[in-house]
């Protein structure tokens, strides 16, 4: 699919406000805006909160050593109590099965597509060879299409192998759809799952483990009157990309799901739990806080982020998570009396989205876990070694020059990187393998900026050194309106083409992506 074949729809007067400096219609929330996007209301009564038990995520089982087969299928599942919703899931699950892997042990994942649309699968946070990265045009076609996407009645390439060497630190990664122009609708229907990498450094720590090491996939959705996932696509059959005008800034749902269940409740005992949060939402940002707060100590002790363990534990009272970000935290329930319900609130939400899930303290138990003062040796880069500075401006703009060809003079606004809508044939940046570089990101509205194939360190925001909440190896950085952010980045081990993009999936699908070619 080339840029000229894209249809940039949905970018009309409402969006023009965003370039006028006000960005009013795109930003929701009171006072200082917390979100870019628009709330889609469900057309049915919302289910009661804190009644559905937190689902345990299914665990992927290798079909032979080091090999997993994930089959993308359509399935009717119960998300809202007593109702059935059609999802697209890896192995028919939403979220998909979690893959548990070890550092430096190669894993091959074959993704088979039994859906009615082409798909691409990306391991987010993977230090992956570009051939297996899930580039947006590396399509796995549905059965019955030829490689040009025409119906043939014959079976074309309906599966693809992804080889992950996993020469990377222990970290909480995730896999999800990355199809050119259609990542938003595909992930919304359920194409996402966790991928946890462990290593010796991490295993030696006395952190909570076993069933006290819990993955929590948080996302928001809206449902129609038939309990079907409601996404405001211009074409539900994917004949062309884009969402209705009003949602071009991002789709926000009014139902918060954790591990695929609405506002679930998890029974806990009076011990520490390691909670691995992933924000798998298309556009929603969260600020999580337990209520009541623990009597003493911080609400959370953060031990890890996108790229694995921090150097030292970081106590914090709230946890801000933009789309695609992960936070690995320890929450200690020992200070709560048995019988307490601890509600996990979202201070960036309002109404139904101001709560996420609950923990019910049901029993007293001994705890032999601990959070050590030193967690890991992250081996950071040094600014002094940077050989190059690049700038990436994330902005809603009117395409100029050849990018508008075929769209007439009425070409509307598009989400762009450096004034260009995504063009697979154009390399925006060509870093050399092994070089340390400073990348500066600039924004108009909220943009969670993600770089594939590597991790980076956040150096500075708005010219000041980055706050402690930015520490550790990141692959996605949350930028608020008007912010500038500098990161230190280095690509190692692989050369070739990959991407950086905004992880607000509506922005990504509407072209806020650029090639990075490692040379
Ligand atoms: Cu989480 Cu390019 O993706
Ligand atoms: Cu964006």
């Amino acid at each position: 699919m080339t840029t000229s074949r894209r249809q940039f729809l949905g970018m009309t007067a409402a969006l023009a406000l965003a370039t006028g400096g006000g960005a009013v219609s795109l930003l929701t929330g009171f006072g200082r805006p917390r979100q870019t996007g628009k709330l889609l209301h469900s057309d049915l009564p919302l289910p009661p909160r804190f009644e559905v038990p937190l689902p345990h995520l299914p665990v992927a089982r290798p079909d032979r050593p080091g090999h997993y087969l994930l089959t993308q299928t359509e399935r009717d599942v119960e998300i809202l109590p007593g109702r059935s919703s059609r999802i697209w899931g890896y192995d028919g699950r939403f979220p998909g099965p979690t893959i548990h892997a070890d550092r430096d042990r190669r894993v091959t994942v074959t993704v088979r597509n039994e859906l009615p649309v082409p798909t691409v699968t990306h391991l987010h946070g993977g230090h992956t060879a570009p051939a297996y990265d899930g580039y947006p045009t590396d399509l796995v076609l549905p059965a019955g299409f030829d490689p040009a996407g025409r119906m043939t009645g014959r079976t074309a390439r309906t599966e693809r192998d992804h080889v992950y060497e996993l020469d990377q630190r222990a970290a909480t990664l995730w896999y999800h759809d990355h199809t050119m122009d259609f990542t938003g609708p595909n992930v919304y229907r359920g194409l996402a799952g966790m991928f946890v990498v462990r290593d010796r450094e991490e295993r030696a720590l006395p952190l909570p483990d076993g069933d006290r090491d819990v993955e929590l996939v948080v996302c928001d959705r809206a449902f129609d009157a038939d309990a079907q996932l409601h996404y405001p696509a211009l074409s539900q059959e994917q004949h062309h990309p884009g969402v209705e005008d009003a949602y071009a800034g991002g789709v926000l749902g009014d139902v918060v799901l954790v591990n695929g269940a609405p506002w679930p409740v998890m029974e806990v005992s009076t011990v520490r739990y390691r909670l691995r949060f992933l924000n798998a939402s298309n556009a929603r940002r969260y600020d999580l806080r337990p209520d009541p707060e623990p009597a003493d100590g911080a609400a959370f002790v953060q031990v890890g982020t996108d790229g694995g363990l921090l150097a030292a534990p970081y106590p914090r009272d709230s946890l801000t998570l933009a789309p695609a970000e992960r936070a690995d935290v320890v929450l200690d329930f020992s200070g709560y009396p048995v019988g307490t319900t601890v509600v996990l609130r979202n201070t960036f939400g309002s109404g139904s989205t101001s709560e996420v899930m609950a923990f019910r303290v049901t029993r007293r138990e001994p705890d032999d876990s601990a959070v050590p003062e030193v967690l890991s040796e992250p081996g950071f880069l040094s600014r002094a070694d940077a050989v190059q500075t690049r700038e990436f401006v994330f902005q809603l703009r009117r395409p100029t020059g050849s990018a508008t060809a075929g769209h007439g003079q009425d070409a509307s606004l598009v989400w762009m990187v450096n004034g260009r809508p995504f063009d697979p044939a154009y390399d925006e940046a060509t870093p050399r393998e092994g070089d340390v570089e400073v990348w500066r990101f600039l924004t108009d509205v909220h943009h969670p900026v993600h770089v594939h194939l590597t991790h980076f360190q956040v150096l500075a925001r708005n010219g000041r050194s980055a706050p402690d909440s930015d520490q550790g190896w990141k692959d996605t950085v949350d930028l608020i309106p008007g912010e500038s952010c500098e990161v230190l980045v280095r690509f190692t081990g692989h050369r070739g083409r990959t991407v950086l993009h905004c992880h607000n999936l509506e922005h990504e699908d509407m072209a806020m992506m650029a090639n990075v070619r490692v040379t």
Side-chain angles (χ1 to χ4, degrees), residues 122 124 174 176 178 450 452 501 503 508:
H122 166 59
H124 182 123
W174 62 303
H176 62 80
H178 215 296
H450 170 47
H452 281 212
H501 61 88
H503 220 290
E508 176 181 343

Side-chain angles (χ1 to χ4, degrees), residues 30 41 96 101 131 157 183 203 207 260 272-273 286 320 330 332 387 406-407 412 423 444 506 512 514:
F30 303 105
H41 289 277
R157 180 168 201 173
T183 296
R203 281 207 173 90
L207 293 172
R272 290 181 197 87
Y273 284 78
Y286 301 81
T320 302
V330 171
D332 184 355
V387 298
H407 292 285
S412 26
D423 177 356
D444 50 2
E506 283 69 48
M512 195 168 252

Side-chain angles (χ1 to χ4, degrees), residues 74-249:
E74 210 161 30
R75 190 153 304 167
D76 292 322
V77 302
E78 182 177 309
I79 299 174
L80 304 176
R83 306 294 303 265
S84 154
S85 308
R86 175 144 308 177
I87 59 137
W88 289 354
Y90 292 93
D91 287 352
R93 307 294 297 258
F94 167 44
T98 302
I99 295 179
H100 292 275
D102 289 309
R103 178 178 189 154
D104 292 322
R105 286 246 185 112
R106 178 191 300 139
V107 160
T108 303
V109 177
T110 300
V111 176
R112 180 175 295 163
N113 183 4
E114 293 182 356
L115 297 171
V117 297
T119 63
V120 171
T121 299
H122 166 59
L123 176 60
H124 182 123
H127 181 229
T128 310
Y132 304 118
D133 179 41
Y135 189 80
T137 53
D138 286 346
L139 302 176
V140 183
L141 298 169
F145 286 80
D146 72 7
R150 288 179 296 255
M151 294 272 277
T152 61
R154 272 184 302 119
T155 299
R157 180 168 201 173
T158 59
E159 56 179 53
R160 180 184 281 272
D161 290 345
H162 301 261
V163 180
Y164 303 127
E165 299 294 342
L166 302 178
D167 50 337
Q168 60 184 106
R169 312 178 70 222
T172 308
L173 315 181
W174 62 303
Y175 62 93
H176 62 80
D177 186 77
H178 215 296
T179 308
M180 178 85 160
D181 296 342
F182 297 103
T183 296
N186 289 353
V187 170
Y188 197 88
R189 287 184 193 229
L191 293 176
M194 294 287 246
F195 192 116
V196 178
V197 182
R198 293 190 167 82
D199 67 9
R200 236 183 295 138
E201 182 185 43
E202 184 204 22
R203 281 207 173 90
L205 299 176
L207 293 172
D209 61 4
D211 57 8
R212 296 176 185 175
D213 177 353
V214 183
E215 298 128 43
L216 298 169
V217 179
V218 181
C219 61
D220 59 334
R221 294 291 186 267
F223 294 85
D224 68 14
D226 294 324
Q228 298 307 316
L229 291 163
H230 183 194
Y231 187 79
L234 291 174
S235 163
Q236 296 296 337
E237 298 74 32
Q238 302 196 350
H239 294 145
H240 47 261
V243 290
E244 292 166 22
D245 286 12
Y247 299 93

Side-chain angles (χ1 to χ4, degrees), residues 288-294 298-300 316-319 331 333 336 342-345 359:
L288 305 175
R289 269 167 209 265
D291 178 20
E293 292 188 354
F300 301 109
R316 53 193 306 182
D317 287 326
S318 75
L319 202 59
L331 184 43
F333 292 96
Y336 295 108
V342 181
V343 173
L344 188 64
R345 295 200 185 281
F359 302 93

Side-chain angles (χ1 to χ4, degrees), residues 11 398 407-413:
M11 296 291 175
R398 195 177 299 281
H407 292 285
Q409 37 185 299
D410 228 34
S412 26
L413 295 158

